[in-house]
Every structure is written in C-alpha cells, then in structure tokens.
C-alpha cells in the first residue's frame, strides 16, 4: 500500500511538472496577446451624453466616468481648473479629472470587457430606456420619434448609432425587424446592453 | 474510492511515460545533428548531473550557451568547470562523488572549443512572407474606427468640422484620419482640435507606468513641474511633425501652455486641498530649525493649447537633503529644470529614480539603476535581462564586495542597468523642506573629477562628480549584441535613438492602442523557429513598421501605415490570427 502511495505521489508531481513545462512552451510559441479594443471611459461618457442628452448625466458619471478601473482611459489633471475639492461639476474641464488619485494619469488606454463593466453599462442603459426625455433626444437625433414606423430603414438608423460593422448591422437589422412586439424602448435597450458596440 | 484514484494515476503515469519518451526521441534527433564534442559533453552531463538537474539532459548547444554556466573559450573562468573541478568559492558539483579526469577533460575541451561561440545566430525578420486571411473592413468602417480612436467620439461625423471639403475629398480612411490630426495642430483651439489632442495625450501618458515620487506626501511637487513632461515630448512630436528620434534625443525641456478662466489657487493633489490653500504656508529649510517662507509659483491649469520649450525657471536658495538628520544647503539652484528629452525630464527621472532623497551615486550599491531599467521598459518595450547568461558571465566581478556583482545570474540584469545608470550619475534628489508638504527636486552636480572607465566600482565616493559615461549592453530582438560606450548623457540619447528596437517598440505601442494587439518584444533569435505562423506574422509586421518609422521618422506616417495594414483592417483579427496559427 505504501509503495502505491509513493508511486501515486511521484506521478502527481511528474504530471504537475509536465503541465508547467507544456504551459511554458506554449508561452514561448506566442509572441503576442490579443485584447479587444474597447471604448474608454471618456469615449463612453461622450457617447451617452451626445446621443441621449444630459438627462441621467449623474448616473453616467457614477457608473462610467468614475470607474477608471473598469473602463481605463487615464486622466489629464492639469486640464482641470479646480474651484472645489475632488470631483465636482463646478470645476472647469472636470471631465478630464482623475477620480481617486493623480496617479491615474498613467492608467491604461482601455480595459477588457468584464461582467462588472457590463453591469454598470446595463444600469445606464436601463435608465435611458426608461426616460422618455432621453429616448426622445436619442430618436430626434436620428430624425425619428416615438411614433415613427418600425420600418427596416428606421431600425437600421438606430442600429447605426451603436454599430458601424456592416455585417453586424445587417444581422441585427434582420433579427430586430422580425420581432413582433418591437418598440423603440426595447430596441434601444437591447442594442445598448449588447456589449459588441463598445468594441472597435 | 482509493482504488479508483490509484487507477487514474496509473493511467496518467502511462501517458506521462509516453510523453517523456516522445521528448527524449525529439532530443535524440537534435543530439544526432550536433557536433561530436557536444555529444560527448552531453554524455558526461547526463551521467553525472541527471539525478538533480534533469533539465540539463534536454539542453541543446544554444541552451548551454545562453545559460551563462560557461564562457566559450575560457574554461578557467566558467562556473560549470570551476564547480566540477572543485575550484573557486561556489558549491562543488556533483555533491556526491566526482567526475573522472577523462570526463573533466571532455568538458574542458568542449568549453574551449571555438565552434560554440559561433552557434549564436542573428535573426532575419524579413525573410518569410506570411499573409493574413482576408476579411477586411470597408473604408467607411475603418474611418468609423480610426475616427473614434483619434477624436474620442464614437460615430464621429465630418459635419463637425468647419471646413470639411478637404477631409471628404479623401477616399481612404487613413488619409481622412490623418487629416483629423493635421486639423488638430497646435494653434487651432476649436473644441474638436483640443479633444483630439487630449485623446492622444492621454494615450501618451499611459506610455509610462511610474508617476509617483519619493512618497505620497510630496503634494506640492505636482504643482511645480509637470508630471507628464515625458508624454509632452510624444504629443509634441506627433502634432508638430517632429522626427520621432527627438522624443529621446532632444535637448529641450517642454512645458504646456494652457488657457484658463481663473487663476490656479488650488493644489493638484486632492488631500486636504482646501485646507492647504487657506491655512498652509510653504517653507524652505528645516521645520524645527532654520527656515524661511516660500511662495512657489504653481503651474498653469486649463486646456492645453501648445507645448513649448521651457525657458524660465524658479530658483530657491535653501534646501534640505533628507527628512531626519538633515543638512541645510544654501546654494541657489533651479527647482524645475530637466536635462532634455523624455528620459531627461525631471518628473521622469524622479518617478523612476528609486533612490531616497539625499543619496549620491557611488557606482556600487547606490546608483539610479531603476531609471535605466525603466528606460528600457518604456522606450524599448523590454524587461531585463536584455542579454544572455553568457553575455553576463564575461563581466562578472569575481573580486567585488557586492554580492550581486559576483553572481552571474544577478549580473545578467546588472550588466546592462548599472553602466547605463552612469548616464545620470550626477543627479541627486533633494527636498524643499522636511515638513509635511515638502516638494522634491533634482539637483545636478557638475563633473569636477576625472573620468573613470570602471563601470562596476564597489564604492567610489567621487562617482557622482565624474563625467556621465557608461555602456549600453543590450541584445536586440533579433539577437544582435550591442556593446557600446558613451561619454555623456547626450551621447547616450543619440545612441538609443539609433537603435532599431526603439522604433519597433513605438510601432508596437501604437499598434496596441489602435488594435488591442500587443506584440511582446524579447530576444527571438533562439525561439523564433518555435513560433506559430501567427506570431511570426505579427513579429515581422511590427518589425517592418518600426524600421519604416526609423526611416521616415513620422508618427503620423506610422499611424497611416497601421490603418492601411492588415491588422487594423481585419474584421475579426483574433480569429484571423488563430486560423493562421493553426
């Protein structure tokens, strides 16, 4: 029995060593890593404000602009003219401020997609879809309104706000235009929550 | 249950046995193609070292060469030989028993052989022609992508531009995006132009990882000289069409010109910002002794409208060297002066100095070697060691009192960073005072002592007063060893700006920003053949981009080449690379 245990342990350590060596060899075989090129916190903030207006701006600040660890993008502390302590909308160019520390100046340009990031974006998307004022602002920019016909052409206009990829636009138009109970709210929240538009 | 587990392990062990057998067969082929002297050498190692150093039995000639365990042509100074002959001060090997005279002779003969020093190869990255499977975006899609990255606005529309005829006349996305950069040149202060410049400046600040000074308490330091001066060099180079070599090889010190609506009265660092303004008075000197009030001029705040050469400096006539047991100095010196170029920016040196205030370089334990390490990381995309073990063995200081200078494994890093740090040997960090709100600055000592060509002194009390000479010891990504001396900081800047890897690293960083593909740079001379086609493709691609940059020196042209290239244009680059790799 003791011999068997010793043999088993030997096998275990040998397999661990081989696993490590194989992993190491795999690393040597690669010269690169791939990360999806996502939008940073400044791009996300500008996207929401530009398309949905200032309604819910505080929510965008709280969930996106104030989350450098999830969205990246860095900051420009010398651009901000401080009148008040910390992050305040009374400061000129406050959007460029560092959130927690000036050391964020060297933050990564972008961060990978994550569950937490998605949760914060979803929260913002829900708020916009539930706000008639924001929704009207969004549709008005596309020369549409809440009563506009859900034609393929109109749906495409909305999709184009989120996606520029031709294949994606075609597929999404096909899928969404066939939805029986489609409303503008549903379409906007569906697109807004799909993470693909945040990847360039 | 135990039985089942045992059966599982027995099953695994059969697999492992087969795997080992396969590795042995593979190595057997390598061995058969090696020289006779290596085969004999391998046999000796296998018979005597196998019990503890199983990995040695799979080392080919190149692995041995890179291990640093021996110096080709010089067995008497080789660690392996010294250990098996039980000479030197290192532990004797093997621990039990010893090699026969005949075996020692075989090892000696192999190490002495001239052939092994020619095993080293230099990679030619231009040879293969590997192409990505095409799944390209349309020019409209490409413009949507590059304009987002350039401006920070998703779905950027050209109707935001006042004079949009020119940009719309271009058919290619790369030309359109380049026109956006031209439009954002300094002097144009429209909202869009400033947004574009800021977007790129943010990226350029991410180029560097270190922004913290000696300790978090030096809050006022951030208001006296720009913490992002190194990034200012990159941003100016991009928007003013300056040759890329000037990022490093420049004598200029830069500062940002800003427009603001109000005077800057609030300190940058947020800790107790308001209290500092209202109640705090800055002092120079010792908070418990000799001191005087100080009213430093703070940096301007607001939108950056230009990056210009700094020509006015603030002087102080009192400073201290440390917090406790301090000495007060009453010589006048400028507190916000740099020594030119991104790597000579005061904020860059201080953030990467790795030395306590007051310390003067002595060539041994105290030198700014962390700065040297980070210059390689930030501008060459390389982590140390950047040479092979055998390169380091040649300069091991067997008689040194400093332990790491006697050890070949430690010297693999120190052989590069120690002589490189000599370039800024004359800098010393000092403080305005020793109170809670001190600021930290660089003091530059003039060279008043004779030059020394000993790059590894144990302790030279005049080291910081000697001319800033040193050595650049570096093996590039193609495996070529650079071993060049420099006699001043400016000579080092020129030397670095002439290296291919300096440009390849820049190409790699811009490629990452635009596509998310990070090409790792290291010495590939040995591992290139083992790389997959996808890796080879990217390595060749980034190498070519870098060499082009070296020739045309234009970041804008580099960006255009990336946008026109296969990686940026691919709809699904990850999938395309995976397919290529298979």
């Amino acid at each position: 029995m003791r011999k068997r245990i010793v043999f088993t342990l030997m096998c275990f350590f040998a397999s661990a060593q081989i696993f490590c060596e194989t992993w190491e060899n795999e690393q040597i075989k690669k010269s690169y890593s791939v990360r999806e090129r996502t939008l940073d916190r400044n791009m996300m903030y500008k996207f929401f404000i530009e398309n949905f207006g200032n309604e819910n701006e505080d929510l965008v600040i709280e969930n996106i602009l104030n989350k450098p660890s999830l969205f990246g993008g860095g900051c420009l502390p010398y651009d901000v003219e401080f009148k008040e302590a910390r992050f305040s909308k009374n400061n000129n160019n406050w959007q460029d401020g560092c959130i927690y520390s000036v050391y964020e100046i060297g933050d990564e340009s972008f961060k990978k997609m994550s569950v937490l990031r998605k949760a914060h974006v979803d929260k913002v998307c829900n708020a916009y879809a539930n706000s008639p004022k924001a929704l009207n602002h969004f549709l008005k920019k596309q020369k549409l309104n809440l009563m506009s016909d859900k034609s393929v052409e109109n749906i495409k206009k909305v999709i184009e706000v989120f996606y520029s990829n031709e294949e994606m636009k075609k597929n999404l138009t096909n899928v969404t235009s066939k939805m029986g109970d489609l409303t503008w709210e549903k379409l906007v929240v569906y697109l807004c929550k799909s993470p693909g538009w945040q990847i360039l | 249950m135990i039985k089942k587990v045992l059966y599982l392990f027995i099953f695994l062990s059969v697999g492992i046995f087969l795997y080992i057998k396969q590795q042995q067969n593979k190595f057997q082929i390598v061995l058969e193609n090696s020289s006779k002297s290596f085969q004999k050498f391998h046999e000796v190692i296998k018979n005597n070292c196998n019990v503890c150093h199983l990995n040695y039995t799979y080392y080919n000639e190149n692995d041995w060469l890179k291990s640093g365990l021996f110096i080709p042509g010089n067995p008497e100074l080789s660690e392996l030989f010294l250990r098996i002959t039980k000479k030197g001060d290192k532990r004797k090997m093997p621990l039990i028993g010893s090699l026969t005279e005949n075996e020692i002779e075989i090892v000696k003969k192999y190490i002495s052989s001239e052939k092994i020093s020619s095993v080293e190869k230099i990679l030619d990255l231009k040879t293969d022609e590997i192409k990505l499977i095409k799944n390209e975006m349309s020019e409209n899609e490409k413009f949507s992508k590059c304009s987002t990255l350039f401006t920070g606005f998703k779905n950027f529309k050209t109707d935001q531009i006042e004079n949009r005829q020119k940009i719309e006349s271009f058919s290619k996305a790369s030309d359109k995006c380049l026109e956006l950069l031209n439009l954002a040149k300094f002097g144009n202060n429209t909202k869009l132009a400033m947004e574009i410049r800021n977007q790129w400046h943010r990226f350029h600040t991410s180029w560097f990882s270190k922004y913290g000074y000696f300790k978090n308490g030096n809050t006022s330091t951030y208001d006296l000289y720009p913490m992002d001066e190194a990034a200012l060099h990159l941003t100016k180079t991009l928007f003013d069409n300056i040759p890329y070599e000037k990022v490093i090889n420049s004598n200029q010190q830069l500062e940002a010109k800003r427009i603001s609506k109000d005077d800057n009265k609030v300190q940058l660092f947020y800790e107790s910002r308001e209290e500092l303004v209202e109640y705090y008075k800055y002092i120079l000197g010792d908070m418990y002794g000799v001191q005087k009030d100080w009213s430093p001029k703070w940096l301007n705040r607001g939108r950056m409208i230009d990056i210009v050469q700094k020509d006015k400096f603030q002087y102080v006539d009192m400073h201290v060297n440390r917090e406790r047991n301090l000495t007060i100095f009453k010589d006048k010196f400028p507190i916000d002066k740099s020594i030119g170029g991104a790597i000579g920016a005061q904020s860059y040196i201080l953030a990467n100095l790795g030395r306590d205030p007051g310390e003067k370089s002595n060539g041994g334990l105290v030198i700014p070697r962390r700065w040297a390490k980070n210059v390689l990381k930030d501008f060459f995309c390389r982590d140390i060691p950047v040479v092979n073990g055998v390169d380091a063995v040649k300069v091991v200081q067997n008689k040194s009192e400093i332990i790491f200078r006697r050890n070949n494994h430690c010297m693999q890093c120190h052989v590069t960073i120690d002589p490189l740090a000599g370039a800024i040997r004359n800098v010393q960090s000092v403080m305005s005072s020793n109170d809670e709100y001190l600021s930290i600055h660089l003091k530059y000592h003039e060279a008043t002592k004779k030059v020394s060509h000993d790059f590894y002194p144990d302790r030279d009390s005049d080291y910081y007063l000697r001319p800033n000479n040193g050595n650049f010891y570096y093996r590039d990504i193609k495996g070529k060893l650079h071993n060049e001396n420099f006699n001043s900081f400016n000579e080092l800047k020129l030397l670095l700006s002439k290296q291919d890897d300096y440009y390849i690293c820049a190409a790699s960083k811009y490629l990452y920003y635009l596509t998310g593909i990070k090409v790792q740079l290291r010495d590939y001379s040995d591992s290139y053949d083992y790389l997959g086609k996808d890796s080879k493709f990217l390595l060749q691609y980034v190498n070519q981009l870098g060499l082009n940059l070296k020739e045309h020196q234009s970041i804008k042209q580099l960006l255009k080449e990336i946008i026109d290239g296969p990686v940026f244009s691919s709809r699904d680059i990850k999938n395309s690379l995976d397919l290529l790799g298979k």
Side-chain angles (χ1 to χ4, degrees), chain B residues 56-220:
Chain B
Y56 288 176
T57 53
Y58 296 106
Y59 270 22
N60 61 28
E61 293 201 77
N62 225 339
D63 294 331
W64 276 109
L65 197 65
K66 289 191 169 183
S67 70
L69 288 168
F70 60 73
I71 307 168
N74 200 344
E76 298 300 331
L77 285 178
S78 300
E79 186 182 337
L80 178 74
F81 189 73
L82 290 172
R83 286 190 187 233
I84 61 170
T85 52
K86 309 197 184 302
K87 292 176 187 166
D89 54 359
K90 288 185 177 167
R91 190 187 275 187
K92 322 294 177 221
M93 288 285 166
L95 291 174
I96 301 162
S98 57
L99 274 73
T100 64
E101 275 184 24
N102 188 30
E103 284 174 327
I104 290 174
E105 197 52 38
I106 288 170
V107 172
K108 188 177 179 183
K109 204 173 165 189
Y110 177 68
I111 296 175
S112 308
S113 151
E114 280 179 12
K115 273 185 188 170
I116 53 170
S117 45
S118 61
V119 171
E120 188 181 49
K121 61 176 179 185
I122 292 167
L123 206 59
D124 180 8
L125 281 173
K126 284 183 272 185
T127 48
D128 296 346
E129 281 227 352
I130 308 166
K131 291 215 163 90
L132 267 187
I133 295 146
K134 281 198 171 179
N135 181 16
E136 284 190 3
M137 289 191 271
S138 66
E139 289 299 318
N140 279 344
E141 287 171 82
K142 275 163 74 173
F143 179 65
S144 169
K145 185 173 169 180
C146 69
S147 61
T148 307
L149 292 162
F150 280 40
T151 64
F153 291 104
K154 189 172 161 60
N155 299 334
F156 173 79
K157 299 276 186 303
T158 49
D159 54 18
Q160 291 182 38
I161 304 169
E162 274 179 33
N163 185 6
R164 64 186 199 201
Q165 286 88 344
K166 191 175 177 189
I167 198 165
E168 285 176 353
S169 69
F170 295 116
S171 56
K172 285 176 85 174
S174 59
D175 291 326
K176 285 184 180 181
C177 279
L178 232 60
E179 188 52 28
L180 285 173
L181 289 184
N182 292 334
L183 185 143
K185 65 184 177 200
F186 287 113
N188 180 358
N189 292 329
T190 57
K191 189 172 178 285
L192 178 65
M194 287 200 274
E195 289 282 0
I196 293 172
R197 291 200 295 262
N198 281 352
Q199 189 63 30
W200 282 99
H201 190 57
R202 267 193 288 263
F203 163 59
H204 289 147
T205 59
S206 77
W207 199 285
F208 311 99
S209 52
K210 300 269 188 298
Y211 283 94
Y213 298 135
F214 163 58
K215 60 172 196 170
N216 290 349
N218 344 131
T219 51
S220 61

Side-chain angles (χ1 to χ4, degrees), chain B residues 7-70:
Chain B
Y7 285 138
L8 180 69
F9 275 109
I10 289 164
F11 176 74
L12 273 174
S13 66
V14 173
I16 291 160
F17 175 76
L18 291 172
Y19 175 82
I20 293 171
K21 206 71 194 157
Q22 190 194 3
Q23 292 297 313
Q24 280 174 344
N25 289 341
K26 269 188 191 172
F27 186 74
Q28 200 55 38
I29 297 165
V30 174
L31 198 61
E32 279 164 14
N33 291 325
S34 305
S35 62
K36 280 270 179 304
S37 61
F38 178 70
Q39 287 177 18
K40 283 183 183 174
F41 169 79
H42 175 262
E43 196 61 29
V44 174
I45 298 294
K46 195 177 152 189
N47 293 340
N48 293 282
C49 316
N50 200 8
V51 183
C52 306
H53 302 280
L54 187 68
N55 51 335
Y56 288 176
T57 53
Y58 296 106
Y59 270 22
N60 61 28
E61 293 201 77
N62 225 339
D63 294 331
W64 276 109
L65 197 65
K66 289 191 169 183
S67 70
L69 288 168
F70 60 73

